[in-house]
């Protein structure tokens, strides 16, 4: 239902789609589950192909295949502009026979399975090149819904940067005014110019004063403040299906620190401060509910004091008010930091910077995020919840390309076998099968009500999001019928 409201027609005949960009502009509050699903698939695919930390998401989107939709024999990098697509993954979200008829996925040749019947949580992943010619049989009735992703080995092909920039301009998340920061002004002007064009058409039933409500009161609470928790020594991350904790640690331990070249000084890092939470209220001790999963990639955030505007003692006293466990120096990817401590422990700053710059830092607790997109998205929700000016955060983030470079550098961290392989074409890992049918990724669809595996630390979030959806269902239906009418 939500997907229907967000999607647009025209991608292919009888197909409608909601790319991650559509979600950003129409329903940014859906980003947490989408980003989570995206990451779950990414991790599973990286693990299956022996490409831990090497892939970036080049495209992600929900695709609906309606009656008549089909796709002939092809491979997924069969156009020049698609040649950066190295691995494809399709996560099926509904059930053949119950929700739609037809729509088998088929490989033209090769090992079994040659035919895949879609059902929720089933993931097909294969290299995008000519080794995997495949098709989708005609859908006879109903709607076949997939989360389709393409991955690239080239960091520059990742969609994260674009997602971030869009997120930064999204009026639903644009709350700050009056800053003298030139970056902010530029970002705001940009946002003003694009606001009408980008977002208003898809909010026909909502008064502007209500927009904040659409993000969902309580969502950030359930994301970040599930319960108060005494900070403890961080336990080793629990290994979840399709992840690669050990290899992430190995990468970190190898100390490849490309970030240093990009971010050569603390000052430069400070330029990446993406928020000043002027009106922030004191927070409880939040817990990063996703820390286990995300720490597998060595990504983390730590609370830091604002040394520029607070005496060291005060800063130290409040540092770590937002925390998810002690920082581990040398984890070596990049981090997102929430600053606190200047004003009674209130959040006052959010920084994105290289984890290598935290070496020796005394502030050791914070939030962990699985990607820059997730970090900024989470900051957006936190800022929203705190009534904070986000535009500043957004515009600075958008104007800080080095942040994305860090992420790219992180995603290219060499694995154990790196250097021993040549660069001829996409690498699928020595001996890796050309295609895989992976285990059910229940967690990746946990945001769907009643989905198997829903639970764990995200349960509160899922419950709140579901309740929020229920409240807004009439509006979503209206939107859905408007958007679906032309197909
Ligand atoms: O949805 C599927 O099963 C496969 C889709 C596909 O092959 C494509 O979009 O290129
Ligand atoms: Fe395809």
């Amino acid at each position: 239902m939500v997907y229907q409201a967000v999607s647009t027609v025209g991608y292919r005949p009888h197909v409608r789609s909601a790319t991650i960009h559509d979600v950003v502009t129409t329903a940014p509050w859906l980003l947490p589950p989408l980003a989570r699903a995206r990451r779950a698939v990414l991790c599973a695919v990286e693990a299956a192909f022996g490409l831990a930390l090497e892939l970036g998401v080049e495209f992600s989107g929900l695709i609906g295949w309606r009656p008549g939709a089909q796709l002939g024999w092809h491979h997924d990098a069969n156009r020049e502009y698609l040649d950066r697509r190295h691995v494809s993954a399709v996560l099926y979200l509904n059930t053949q026979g119950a929700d739609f008829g037809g729509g088998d996925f088929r490989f033209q040749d090769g090992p079994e399975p040659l035919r895949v019947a879609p059902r929720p949580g089933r993931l097909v992943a294969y290299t995008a090149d000519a080794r995997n010619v495949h098709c989708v049989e005609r859908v006879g009735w109903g709607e076949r819904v997939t989360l389709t992703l393409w991955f690239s080995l080239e960091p520059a092909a990742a969609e994260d940067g674009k997602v971030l920039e869009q997120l930064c301009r999204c009026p639903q998340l644009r709350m700050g005014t009056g800053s003298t920061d030139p970056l902010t002004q530029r970002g705001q002007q940009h946002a003003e110019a694009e606001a009408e064009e980008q977002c208003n058409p898809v909010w026909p039933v909502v008064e502007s004063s209500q927009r904040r409500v659409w993000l969902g009161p309580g969502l950030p609470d359930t994301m970040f403040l599930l319960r108060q928790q005494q900070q403890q020594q961080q336990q080793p991350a629990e290994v979840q299906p399709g992840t690669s904790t050990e290899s992430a640690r190995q990468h970190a331990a190898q100390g490849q620190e490309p970030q240093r070249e990009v971010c050569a000084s603390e000052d430069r890092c400070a330029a990446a401060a993406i928020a000043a939470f002027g009106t922030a209220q004191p927070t409880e001790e939040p817990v990063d509910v996703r820390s286990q999963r995300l720490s597998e990639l060595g990504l983390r955030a730590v609370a830091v004091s604002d040394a520029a505007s607070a005496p060291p003692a005060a800063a130290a006293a409040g540092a770590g008010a937002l925390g998810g466990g002690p920082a581990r120096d040398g984890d070596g990817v990049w981090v997102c930091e929430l600053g606190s401590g200047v004003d009674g422990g209130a959040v006052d700053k959010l920084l994105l910077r290289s984890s290598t710059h935290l070496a020796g830092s005394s502030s050791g607790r914070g939030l962990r995020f699985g990607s820059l997109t997730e970090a900024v998205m989470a900051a957006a929700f936190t800022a929203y919840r705190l009534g904070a000016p986000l535009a500043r955060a957004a515009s600075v983030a958008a104007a800080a390309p080095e942040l994305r470079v860090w992420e790219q550098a992180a995603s290219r961290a060499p694995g154990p076998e790196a250097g021993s392989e040549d660069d001829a074409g996409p690498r699928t890992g020595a001996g890796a099968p050309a295609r895989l049918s992976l285990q059910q990724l229940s967690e990746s669809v946990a945001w769907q009500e009643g989905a198997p595996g829903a639970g764990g630390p995200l349960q509160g979030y899922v419950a709140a999001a579901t309740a929020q959806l229920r409240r807004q269902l009439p509006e979503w239906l209206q939107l859905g019928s408007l958007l679906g009418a032309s197909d």
Side-chain angles (χ1 to χ4, degrees):
M1 194 59 64
V2 171
Y3 142 74
Q4 286 175 16
V6 174
S7 64
T8 55
V9 296
Y11 167 60
R12 286 186 190 127
H14 312 292
V15 164
R16 56 183 170 177
S17 59
T19 67
I20 195 166
H21 307 293
D22 295 326
V23 171
V24 168
T25 50
T26 58
W29 52 271
L30 274 178
L31 265 170
L34 182 58
R36 188 169 176 80
R38 182 178 174 270
R39 177 145 295 271
V41 176
L42 171 64
C43 289
V45 169
E46 282 185 336
F49 284 79
L51 291 170
L53 296 178
E54 297 218 31
L55 294 176
V57 181
E58 190 258 355
F59 171 93
S60 59
L62 295 157
I63 315 280
W65 302 66
R66 311 183 83 196
Q70 59 187 333
L71 196 52
W73 295 114
H74 69 286
H75 66 84
D76 289 346
N78 57 0
R79 302 266 189 286
E80 204 174 315
Y81 70 93
L82 301 177
D83 64 2
R84 296 198 298 185
R85 293 184 172 177
H86 296 128
V87 181
S88 311
V90 184
L91 177 69
Y92 298 105
L93 298 177
N94 61 355
T95 308
Q96 188 188 57
D99 301 309
F100 61 92
D104 269 4
F105 175 98
R106 288 176 57 196
F107 287 112
Q108 194 171 48
D109 51 38
E112 294 291 327
L114 283 177
R115 186 181 286 271
V116 178
R119 65 186 50 165
R122 183 166 280 176
L123 178 69
V124 180
Y126 46 93
T127 61
D129 54 39
R131 285 174 291 178
N132 285 300
V133 173
H134 57 278
C135 73
V136 178
E137 290 186 343
R138 189 174 183 281
V139 173
W141 56 271
E143 184 163 10
R144 171 191 193 265
V145 186
T146 65
L147 174 60
T148 298
L149 300 98
W150 281 285
F151 303 102
S152 180
L153 287 158
E154 293 177 34
E159 67 182 4
D160 279 40
K162 276 179 256 159
V163 172
L164 266 180
E165 280 165 23
Q166 259 191 310
L167 183 64
C168 292
R169 294 196 299 266
C170 187
Q172 288 96 328
L173 299 176
R174 193 165 52 90
M175 286 162 282
T177 53
S179 169
T180 55
D181 181 334
L183 286 173
T184 305
Q185 286 176 352
R186 201 169 67 204
Q188 283 179 347
Q189 282 162 11
H190 200 46
E192 305 274 345
E194 295 205 2
E196 291 290 318
E197 174 194 331
Q198 275 203 348
C199 289
N200 280 355
V202 298
W203 295 99
V205 296
V206 188
E207 296 299 319
S208 62
S209 62
Q210 293 177 309
R211 278 192 185 140
R212 291 167 64 120
V213 178
W214 278 61
L215 284 172
L219 291 187
D221 275 2
T222 50
M223 281 175 75
F224 303 119
L225 307 173
L226 280 188
R227 60 182 188 277
Q228 287 200 328
Q229 181 172 293
Q230 206 53 36
Q231 297 302 330
Q232 302 161 343
Q233 278 300 107
Q234 187 182 1
Q235 299 301 315
E238 191 180 304
V239 178
Q240 298 182 25
T243 59
S244 50
T245 309
E246 198 44 51
S247 62
R249 287 211 185 103
Q250 283 169 2
H251 297 168
Q254 288 172 354
Q256 309 286 329
E257 293 168 348
Q259 301 94 326
R260 286 194 190 284
E261 289 167 26
V262 179
C263 181
S265 73
E266 287 290 319
D267 284 350
R268 183 110 182 257
C269 291
I274 70 161
F277 297 152
T279 59
Q281 297 152 7
T283 62
E284 297 175 82
E285 287 185 18
V287 176
D288 174 14
V289 297
R290 298 168 298 174
S291 62
Q292 283 196 335
R293 169 130 198 136
L294 301 176
S295 64
E296 290 169 10
L297 292 176
L299 300 173
R300 62 192 173 134
V302 301
V304 293
S305 59
D306 185 349
S309 56
L322 288 180
R328 289 174 301 164
D329 290 334
D331 274 0
V333 189
W334 56 269
V335 300
C336 172
E337 301 179 356
L338 284 170
S340 64
V342 175
D343 183 15
V347 177
D348 67 339
K349 182 174 281 187
L350 189 142
L351 306 171
L352 295 178
R353 64 182 182 180
S354 159
S355 65
T356 56
H357 285 265
L358 301 176
S361 164
S362 58
S363 56
R365 290 173 290 195
L367 301 176
R368 281 162 280 267
F369 297 100
S371 73
L372 185 58
T373 305
E374 285 183 11
V376 172
M377 183 184 79
F381 280 101
T382 305
Y384 167 76
R385 185 63 179 165
L386 296 172
L390 184 66
R392 179 139 186 259
S395 59
V396 179
E402 63 267 42
L403 294 177
R404 293 192 281 280
V405 175
W406 293 347
E407 181 171 53
Q408 290 157 7
S411 76
R412 296 292 289 169
E417 314 84 0
S420 62
E421 294 186 80
D422 62 38
D423 284 324
R427 287 179 286 168
T428 57
R435 69 182 71 140
L436 299 162
S437 178
L438 303 176
Q439 79 271 18
Q440 183 166 340
L441 285 170
S442 57
E443 199 192 6
S444 70
V445 290
W447 55 278
Q448 289 189 318
E449 190 185 10
L458 263 188
Q459 199 161 30
Y461 170 75
V462 172
T466 305
Q468 179 76 2
L469 285 183
R470 280 225 181 84
R471 280 198 293 279
Q472 294 166 346
L473 202 54
E475 287 95 334
W476 281 110
L477 281 170
Q478 191 179 336
L479 274 174
S481 61
L482 283 176
L483 292 167
S486 55
D487 192 359

